[in-house]
Amino acid sequence: PGTSPRLIRTIRGATGWVDRVGLALIFPSDDLVLPSLWEAVAGTPEITWSSRDEEGRFLDFSPEFGRVWRWKDELPERRLVCVGKHVHGRSALVSLRLLPALCAASGEPGELSPLEQDVVAFIDDQGPCSTADLPGLIGQERKQVARAVDRLQRWLVLTTAGAQERVQ
């Protein structure tokens, strides 16, 4: 019998954990063998993400899920780690220490499409922008802009900077 792993309870602990592992997913994925923040916080992928009543109706998210959900936005907002769809289209956390090596390993993105160029130019000029607002601001279709942003994140041209409060 071994000892159970120490679970992460604070954003400082999450930052230290990402620094140690270098690269991790936010939530586990069956097709990627990487550690996940969810497992580091909850201890296992099988822990319940929410509580439900006797009829199975959703009541609330678990405290563990709440922490992971907040930290996925707060970590990049506070510039503690890099977060984005940088690994196989999945939301990943990259330690700032590992980031230069990952950028070098990803190589040059190749020729950007006109839409990708428009997205990069807009962000360069205007700064961080909500992905929900970006299509309207550059006058392009939402689905195509989302695909362009995903490609730019895989190439580490764009990354997540935090979250914006929305009415909904």
Side-chain angles (χ1 to χ4, degrees):
T3 59
S4 61
R6 201 167 131 230
L7 299 179
I8 297 171
R9 301 273 183 238
T10 66
I11 195 162
R12 183 175 175 209
T15 304
W17 178 80
V18 173
D19 286 344
R20 283 190 305 282
V21 300
L23 178 65
L25 299 176
I26 295 175
F27 295 102
S29 172
D30 289 339
D31 59 343
L32 292 173
V33 182
L34 285 172
S36 71
L37 181 60
W38 170 254
E39 291 169 301
V41 169
T44 174
E46 288 82 28
I47 193 167
T48 304
W49 296 29
S50 63
S51 57
R52 300 193 176 267
D53 66 16
E54 302 80 37
E55 284 83 42
R57 289 185 297 251
F58 173 83
L59 296 173
D60 199 2
F61 288 114
S62 69
E64 295 86 0
F65 184 86
R67 280 195 292 276
V68 171
W69 197 254
R70 280 190 315 277
W71 293 347
K72 74 174 176 48
D73 297 322
E74 192 174 339
L75 286 163
E77 188 173 281
R78 292 173 56 183
R79 297 176 186 245
L80 299 171
V81 304
C82 179
V83 176
K85 291 185 176 180
H86 303 311
V87 179
H88 206 6
R90 299 289 199 298
S91 292
L93 306 124
V94 181
S95 76
L96 299 182
R97 192 172 36 86
L98 179 66
L99 190 57
L102 190 60
C103 286
S106 70
E108 291 296 316
E111 191 170 333
L112 300 180
S113 72
L115 176 56
E116 291 162 351
Q117 291 173 20
D118 288 349
V119 169
V120 170
F122 182 86
I123 299 298
D124 278 345
D125 185 53
Q126 300 296 316
C129 174
S130 163
T131 53
D133 296 337
L134 186 58
L137 293 170
I138 64 172
Q140 297 288 335
E141 184 185 322
R142 182 171 305 283
K143 278 185 176 182
Q144 291 179 339
V145 171
R147 280 194 294 273
V149 167
D150 284 353
R151 283 190 303 273
L152 291 166
Q153 285 197 13
R154 277 194 305 276
W155 292 327
L156 294 161
V157 173
L158 291 182
T159 189
T160 300
Q164 289 183 322
E165 290 294 321
R166 307 295 274 184
V167 176
Q168 293 176 317

